Amino acid sequence: MAKIVMKFGGTSVADLDRIRHVAGLVKREVERGAQVAVVVSAMAGETNKLIAWTRDLAPLHDAREYDVVVAAGEQVTAGLLAVALSASGIGARSWLGWQIPIRTSGMHGSARIEQIDPALLNERLSQGQVAVIAGFQGVASDNRISTLGRGGSDTSAVAVAAAIQADRCDIYTDVDGVYTTDPRIVPRARRLSRIAYEEMLEMASLGAKVLQTRSVEIAMLYRVPLRVLSTFEPDGGGTLLCDEEDIVEKKPVTGIAYSRDEAKITLHRIPDKPGVAAAIFGPLADAGVNVDMIVQNVSEDGKKTDLTFTVSRSELHRALEAIERAAPAIGYRDVTHDVSVAKVSIIGIGMRTHSGVAQMMFRTFAEKGINIEVISTSEIKVSVLIAEEYVELAVRALHAAYELDTA
Ligand code: ADP
Ligand code: ASP
Ligand code: MG
């Protein structure tokens, strides 16, 4: 008997009609003989509303109370879907993170799942009861509710699938799979029938929010067969995540991602001598700031140079504070920052074997008159930082240049 996890995102459970529709999809799998665990998100817009309420009361608030508030959205949908399933004759019950329990780290607001006890779930599943699990939440080591960061229900689903050793994990959303780029900004984007775990990991971490990055990491680690499907056209085929070897046609570029969540910081006239990078990035790491791209210019006089790096916009203030505190040790002249920047990335395992891939990206930007501010590369991706106003133009131009457009 197949054991499956079905995850439904916010738009899929946005109102009662949609929750009834989701109950129908779950019922269909039960009637096919599967044991089903369902993971649900909050109704569309609900998490944003809860976050705004918390921030409006106090911009600086206790992250543990933030978690109590924002985890509530998923509690509502889990209960409603269990009610809808029962009403259609399917045995079901809701599960909150702490009831399973889903144990997480203590980093409230962006906790990591550490352990899921599969015993209770497996017992109920084997009795034929559908488990409707509130996504996005768990219980932290301090015994308080925790949440997993935006988009975290994907991670709940994949982690539950790994814990109960499900035969597959289906992520139902408002698009019918993973596309070559965000179909909302490039209507000519194509659905990929398969994508390698590694490519999906890069796509997600570079901004494609169709799957939370951590969910892909867990799927890769525990070899969870993962599909992305449409709630509204569930028989459309979707996208299967698979091993690199299972992809026959390795184009140089598989997909394009972008992220507006970028801020650029430049330290002017820092000493060009050993130990300076450590004096800058040590305090940033201590302050919990994640530094992404880094570029240091060659110094003209051999004494002073400039250094630019990027952080996520939400960490900008923390980064600037850390830099200011470390000013005496670093010894810069002044520091500037810019939040009107964005990162555009090309991703593909084919880059390992094709040459001239980055060159095409730079030429495309030159033709469009888009200035490249910072570049970073890895084996299967090239990312560039550009002015935010050019993001859509850049993504569309690259999509055409790498022949990803639909015919
Ligand atoms: P859910 O609420 O179901 O979790 P999300 O809004 O988190 O859904 O993710 C789905 C959205 O991700 C799509 O509506 C789409 O705009 C966006 N997206 C970004 N990049 C891609 C991509 N490469 N392929 C598919 N969707 C993408
Ligand atoms: N409701 C949460 C969010 O909006 C988690 C999720 O939907 O995955 O980020
Ligand atoms: Mg999501």
Side-chain angles (χ1 to χ4, degrees):
M1 184 185 272
K3 201 194 271 185
I4 63 174
V5 173
M6 305 169 79
K7 180 260 171 178
F8 295 92
T11 32
S12 308
V13 293
D15 56 38
L16 297 186
D17 277 339
R18 290 194 178 170
I19 290 178
R20 279 188 205 100
H21 172 70
V22 164
L25 296 181
V26 174
K27 184 172 183 176
R28 195 168 72 151
E29 294 292 354
V30 173
E31 286 172 349
R32 283 177 186 158
Q35 294 183 2
V36 187
V38 189
V39 173
V40 286
S41 289
M43 293 162 119
E46 208 55 26
T47 308
N48 286 349
K49 184 185 83 184
L50 297 172
I51 292 173
W53 280 354
T54 316
R55 288 198 180 137
D56 283 356
L57 279 176
L60 284 177
H61 45 256
D62 187 330
R64 293 166 296 191
E65 304 303 354
Y66 165 97
D67 278 349
V68 171
V69 178
V70 300
E74 272 71 12
Q75 173 164 343
V76 172
T77 28
L80 288 174
L81 182 58
V83 168
L85 283 166
S86 303
S88 66
I90 300 291
R93 73 153 273 192
S94 64
W95 294 88
L96 301 181
W98 63 268
Q99 293 172 315
I100 294 175
I102 296 177
R103 298 207 181 276
T104 75
S105 66
M107 184 64 103
H108 284 275
S110 56
R112 282 167 75 95
I113 295 180
E114 288 178 342
Q115 201 232 328
I116 299 181
D117 188 342
L120 278 175
L121 286 179
N122 276 334
E123 188 188 308
R124 299 301 182 91
L125 291 176
S126 65
Q127 292 164 4
Q129 191 181 60
V130 172
V132 186
I133 301 165
F136 185 50
Q137 54 167 271
V139 56
S141 38
D142 57 7
N143 213 26
R144 300 189 61 170
I145 290 176
S146 54
T147 62
L148 310 177
R150 298 308 305 268
S153 297
D154 297 328
T155 300
S156 308
V158 178
V160 165
I164 64 172
Q165 296 182 319
D167 296 290
R168 59 172 209 269
C169 179
D170 291 340
I171 305 284
Y172 287 87
T173 181
D174 57 0
V175 277
D176 63 349
V178 178
Y179 276 66
T180 46
T181 192
D182 188 347
R184 278 192 212 172
I185 71 159
V186 182
R188 308 189 70 167
R190 273 185 301 116
R191 178 172 61 84
L192 298 161
S193 55
R194 283 164 182 252
I195 185 167
Y197 287 108
E198 268 186 77
E199 289 174 320
M200 190 64 235
L201 192 61
E202 292 282 9
M203 291 272 282
S205 72
L206 295 167
K209 68 167 187 160
V210 59
L211 287 175
Q212 199 196 35
T213 308
R214 184 76 188 128
S215 72
V216 186
E217 271 172 18
I218 297 176
M220 227 170 129
L221 195 62
Y222 295 94
R223 315 312 293 172
V224 177
L226 190 61
R227 288 195 303 175
V228 178
L229 302 161
S230 161
T231 305
F232 310 107
E233 287 166 48
D235 300 319
T239 300
L240 178 72
L241 272 70
C242 64
D243 289 321
E244 206 175 311
E245 301 77 61
D246 299 330
I247 295 184
V248 188
E249 189 203 12
K250 293 190 177 72
K251 281 187 161 196
V253 170
T254 305
I256 299 166
Y258 66 94
S259 159
R260 297 177 195 273
D261 181 26
E262 308 290 326
K264 182 182 79 169
I265 299 177
T266 302
L267 304 188
H268 301 269
R269 306 288 294 163
I270 56 168
D272 191 11
K273 62 173 196 203
V276 173
I280 297 167
F281 297 112
L284 287 169
D286 294 342
V289 174
N290 265 319
V291 174
D292 180 19
M293 307 168 103
I294 303 175
V295 58
Q296 178 169 346
N297 293 335
V298 178
S299 68
E300 279 175 22
D301 55 6
K303 290 185 188 131
K304 298 272 182 185
T305 183
D306 298 341
L307 183 131
T308 296
F309 59 91
T310 64
V311 298
S312 110
R313 281 184 200 172
S314 59
E315 294 183 349
L316 175 65
H317 287 289
R318 222 167 343 125
L320 291 173
E321 276 168 20
I323 291 295
E324 270 164 37
R325 272 197 307 273
I330 305 170
Y332 55 81
R333 188 192 65 201
D334 62 330
V335 47
T336 53
H337 66 269
D338 184 359
V339 289
S340 54
V341 289
K343 184 170 64 177
V344 176
S345 309
I346 53 172
I347 295 121
I349 47 175
M351 265 181 227
R352 291 199 181 115
T353 45
H354 289 79
S355 57
V357 180
Q359 157 64 11
M360 162 87 84
M361 183 181 205
F362 304 146
R363 195 174 344 119
T364 306
F365 282 1
E367 279 165 12
K368 297 288 175 196
I370 301 172
N371 188 39
I372 297 173
E373 302 187 25
V374 188
I375 303 170
S376 78
T377 65
S378 80
E379 216 188 353
I380 64 162
K381 68 118 205 250
V382 181
S383 297
V384 298
L385 196 74
I386 60 172
E388 186 180 2
E389 59 184 308
Y390 296 122
V391 164
E392 300 198 1
L393 172 66
V395 173
R396 285 197 197 105
L398 291 173
H399 201 266
Y402 288 104
E403 298 177 354
L404 298 173
D405 283 357
T406 38

